[in-house]
């Protein structure tokens, strides 16, 4: 079985990570004390980023030793053209598990999504039957892309997709990527799709997933969506929604992105954001897709909203069409292999992503709520 309706140009799915500007040299000339302020003052647009946090030391030998959160943010800001928000995000991500982590303007004031109305659930898969994934809901893409003119799936990826690397057991779907020779490639993996079986337009789409087993260098797991019909032309013109992507060389970091004709990394205008969450834990990755915006959330906390100024322009908003879902692990590729591929980590059972449920809930006239664990 081979996909017959793949786009003529495969999406690259390589969101440019948020800037991680680091000092060009150790910040020895950064101010030793934060600017004088009133006790109630906060920074970075975050109520939690108080004066006490601003004055707290954050230590990392690779980043110049010990300096206060405020000193680090001020120093990065002075080296990135004065962009205070980017400086706050950079330092908060560098010290995400320390006090500076509360100074990320992407996260501190974000909306929290209410739980979806269970009476509006129209489609779900809870992976309750052991064995192969439900064939009434899922099909597979096969091969390395060469048969559709996209060797390496348009990204220089190393895997050969089969249906053998997906199994349901004990209520959990496991997708694996392994070091083995298949179809002339050195790695096997799986890409599951709902194309031709279920498509969605607007609503809440949720996956409950865990990537604890998919952290080696060279892994690139993704939960995403592509057009059911490529109404506005090949990628990126008809759009792509990346509900979750991660790469193995980035610890505890997840990305959400959209790609359109006007906004894509090929021309440096991509719309993307990232969030720091433990890769060891289960998370609900979600989009709230409305007629004029898409909100990206993890565990109900919105960290990115895409809301273009003109939703009548398909170059900016092709998301008024039906999209189907994809679950996969790529190996290597232009983003996944930035720091190489740890081939030994793919031996045996390989690297794997787990999904528990997937739901779709109604919005407007369309029901779309998706759960995955």
């Amino acid at each position: 079985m081979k996909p017959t309706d793949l786009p003529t140009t495969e999406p690259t799915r390589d969101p440019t990570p948020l800037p991680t500007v680091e000092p060009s040299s150790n910040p020895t000339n950064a101010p030793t004390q934060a600017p004088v302020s009133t006790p109630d003052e906060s920074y970075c647009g975050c109520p939690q980023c108080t004066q006490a946090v601003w004055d707290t030391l954050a230590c990392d030998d690779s980043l110049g030793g010990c300096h206060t959160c405020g000193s680090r943010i001020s120093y990065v800001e002075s080296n990135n053209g004065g962009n205070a928000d980017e400086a706050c995000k950079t330092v908060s991500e560098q010290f995400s598990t320390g006090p500076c982590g509360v100074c990320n303007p992407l996260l501190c004031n974000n909306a929290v999504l209410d739980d979806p109305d269970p009476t509006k659930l129209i489609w779900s898969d809870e992976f309750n039957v052991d064995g192969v994934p439900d064939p009434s809901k899922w099909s597979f893409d096969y091969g390395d892309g060469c048969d559709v003119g996209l060797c390496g799936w348009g990204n220089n990826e190393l895997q050969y997709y089969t249906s053998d690397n997906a199994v349901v057991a004990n209520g959990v779907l496991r997708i694996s990527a392994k070091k083995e020779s298949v179809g002339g490639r050195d790695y096997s993996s799986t890409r599951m799709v709902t194309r031709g079986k279920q498509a969605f337009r607007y609503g809440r789409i949720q996956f409950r997933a865990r990537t604890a087993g998919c952290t080696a260098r060279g892994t690139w797991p993704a939960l995403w969506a592509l057009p059911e019909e490529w109404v506005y032309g090949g990628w990126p013109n008809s759009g792509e929604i990346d509900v979750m992507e991660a790469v193995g060389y980035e610890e505890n970091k997840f990305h959400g992105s959209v790609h359109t004709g006007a906004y894509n990394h090929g021309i440096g205008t991509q719309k993307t954001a990232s969030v720091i969450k433990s890769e060891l834990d289960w998370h609900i990755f979600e989009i709230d897709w409305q007629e004029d915006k898409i909100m990206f959330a993890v565990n109900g906390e919105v960290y990115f909203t895409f809301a273009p100024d003109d939703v009548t322009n398909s170059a900016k908003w092709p998301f008024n069409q039906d999209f189907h879902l994809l679950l996969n692990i790529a190996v290597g590729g232009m983003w996944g292999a930035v720091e190489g591929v740890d081939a030994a980590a793919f031996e045996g059972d390989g690297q794997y992503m787990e999904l528990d449920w997937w739901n779709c809930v109604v919005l407007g006239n369309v029901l779309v709520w998706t759960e995955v664990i």
Side-chain angles (χ1 to χ4, degrees):
M1 175 179 175
K2 296 181 180 179
T4 58
D5 59 347
L6 289 174
T8 56
T9 302
E10 182 70 4
T12 303
R13 305 193 336 272
D14 183 356
T16 301
L18 288 173
T20 53
V21 179
E22 297 182 4
S24 56
S25 60
N26 290 345
T28 54
N29 59 343
T32 56
Q33 294 185 347
V36 176
S37 63
T38 62
D40 294 331
E41 187 168 356
S42 61
Y43 299 87
C44 299
C46 299
Q48 305 94 323
C49 189
T50 62
Q51 184 67 45
V53 171
W54 197 254
D55 293 338
T56 299
L57 288 175
C59 300
D60 187 325
D61 289 342
S62 68
L63 296 172
C66 290
H67 300 275
T68 66
C69 294
S71 295
R72 289 184 177 280
I73 291 169
S74 298
Y75 184 82
V76 172
E77 181 181 353
S78 70
N79 281 270
N80 74 355
N83 190 323
D85 281 352
E86 292 298 339
C88 291
K89 287 186 287 187
T90 295
V91 174
S92 67
E93 288 191 352
Q94 290 171 340
F95 297 91
S96 60
T97 59
C100 306
V102 299
C103 297
N104 189 339
L106 272 180
L107 303 177
C108 61
N109 291 313
N110 286 335
V112 176
L113 299 177
D114 294 333
D115 290 337
D117 182 348
T119 67
K120 297 181 178 181
L121 176 66
I122 60 156
W123 189 90
S124 69
D125 194 341
E126 298 185 9
F127 305 110
N128 289 330
V129 179
D130 289 358
V132 300
D134 186 343
S136 71
K137 297 178 178 179
W138 302 97
S139 56
F140 296 87
D141 284 341
Y142 291 89
D144 57 6
C146 291
D147 60 341
V148 291
L150 292 167
C151 288
W153 294 105
N155 296 301
N156 296 327
E157 296 167 20
L158 305 178
Q159 77 283 347
Y160 189 96
Y161 285 130
T162 79
S163 58
D164 299 331
N165 292 33
V167 63
V168 177
N170 301 316
V172 173
L173 166 69
R174 177 180 287 197
I175 296 175
S176 301
K178 301 179 181 181
K179 182 74 168 66
E180 59 181 350
S181 180
V182 180
R185 295 281 177 166
D186 293 331
Y187 298 87
S188 66
S189 187
T190 284
R191 185 157 88 178
M192 295 170 53
V193 300
T194 67
R195 185 179 59 246
K197 297 179 183 290
Q198 184 68 57
F200 309 97
R201 187 191 312 180
Y202 312 134
R204 301 277 292 274
I205 300 179
Q206 300 177 318
F207 303 80
R208 187 170 187 263
R210 179 169 66 173
T211 61
C214 195
T215 60
R217 284 185 296 107
T219 54
W220 183 357
L223 311 171
W224 51 306
L226 285 176
E228 188 75 357
E229 303 290 341
W230 294 78
V231 172
Y232 301 117
W235 191 91
N237 296 313
S238 289
E240 173 183 334
I241 306 171
D242 297 317
V243 182
M244 184 283 288
E245 290 184 286
V247 287
Y249 66 85
E250 292 181 336
E251 185 176 359
N252 298 321
K253 193 170 189 178
F254 300 95
H255 304 267
S257 310
V258 298
H259 302 272
T260 76
Y263 304 121
N264 64 83
H265 65 272
I267 55 176
T269 56
Q270 64 277 355
K271 299 296 182 181
T272 183
S274 59
V275 61
I276 303 298
K277 296 290 181 182
S278 172
E279 58 199 10
L280 300 179
D281 298 332
W282 288 94
H283 300 293
I284 298 175
F285 300 98
E286 175 177 6
I287 58 170
D288 185 344
W289 176 10
Q290 302 180 20
E291 293 182 352
D292 59 353
K293 65 182 177 181
I294 302 174
M295 293 185 286
F296 292 73
V298 177
N299 303 327
E301 299 175 359
V302 178
Y303 68 96
F304 172 45
T305 298
F306 174 66
D309 57 6
D310 183 3
V311 295
T312 66
N313 182 349
S314 64
K316 295 182 177 181
W317 184 258
F319 305 114
N320 56 1
Q321 303 295 320
D322 292 345
F323 278 61
H324 63 265
L325 305 172
L326 303 91
L327 319 173
N328 73 288
I329 301 174
V331 180
M334 291 184 287
W335 188 25
V338 165
E339 295 190 6
V341 176
D342 181 2
F346 290 84
E347 298 284 359
D349 291 336
Q351 298 288 299
Y352 57 89
M353 174 170 59
E354 298 169 294
L355 297 102
D356 182 29
W357 48 258
W358 155 290
N359 289 331
C360 295
V361 176
V362 71
L363 180 67
N365 295 325
V366 181
L367 292 170
V368 122
W369 177 22
T370 307
E371 290 188 278
V372 180
I373 284 186

